[in-house]
Amino acid sequence: GLFIGLQRLLARVPGSRVVDAPPLPGANWTPPADLPPTYLWYTYEQDTSSGSMDESDSRRLMYGYGFSYARRLPPRLMASVEERSSVIDDIHRHAFDAVVFGKVGPAQGCEPLPYFDEVQQAGYPAQRIAMIYGGDFGLQFGN
């Protein structure tokens, strides 16, 4: 959804990049070792020459087998390892024009935002921060 749309839109704007954050230390889940080191590995077309995971095996790791959202972006749009590893320094240098936090899943709406403390410490103005919750699960309220 949003990530794919931002990638496609900004790919047409010279000098623009979308850099997804690297997996956090101690994360409950990280991308498999034979896949790109990004939580959004499934959005990129698979490089079949690299000998990476079989497509049917990687689809099993995707919600709904990736129907409608998997393999939509060319690999050239993927952030490099260097770009991902310098996210914290880049936040503090104000290298980003905007910071977008995206959340999905049944529990993520209540979990702390990764790198939010760094964004606050760096002094990004509220107008350059977006928080988007795109989960399929609503908040449950008792009657």
Side-chain angles (χ1 to χ4, degrees), residues 3 5 14 17 20 29-30 33-34 49 62 65-66 69 76 99-100 104-105 113 124 127:
F3 179 76
R17 286 287 282 156
D20 57 304
W29 188 88
T30 56
D34 55 347
S49 67
M62 300 176 203
Y65 291 95
Y69 67 87
R76 67 178 170 74
V99 179
V100 178
V104 296
L113 294 167
Y124 274 83
Q127 300 86 346

Side-chain angles (χ1 to χ4, degrees), residues 12-57:
R12 297 182 222 149
V13 179
S16 295
R17 286 287 282 156
V18 175
V19 178
D20 57 304
L24 294 168
N28 291 335
W29 188 88
T30 56
D34 55 347
L35 294 172
T38 170
Y39 284 116
L40 299 163
W41 57 270
Y42 51 82
T43 61
Y44 298 97
E45 296 165 357
Q46 188 171 15
D47 178 9
T48 56
S49 67
S50 67
S52 63
M53 184 182 290
D54 178 67
E55 181 66 8
S56 62
D57 291 336

Side-chain angles (χ1 to χ4, degrees), residues 111-122:
E111 293 175 357
L113 294 167
Y115 305 103
F116 187 69
D117 291 340
E118 289 83 355
V119 170
Q120 283 186 308
Q121 291 166 1

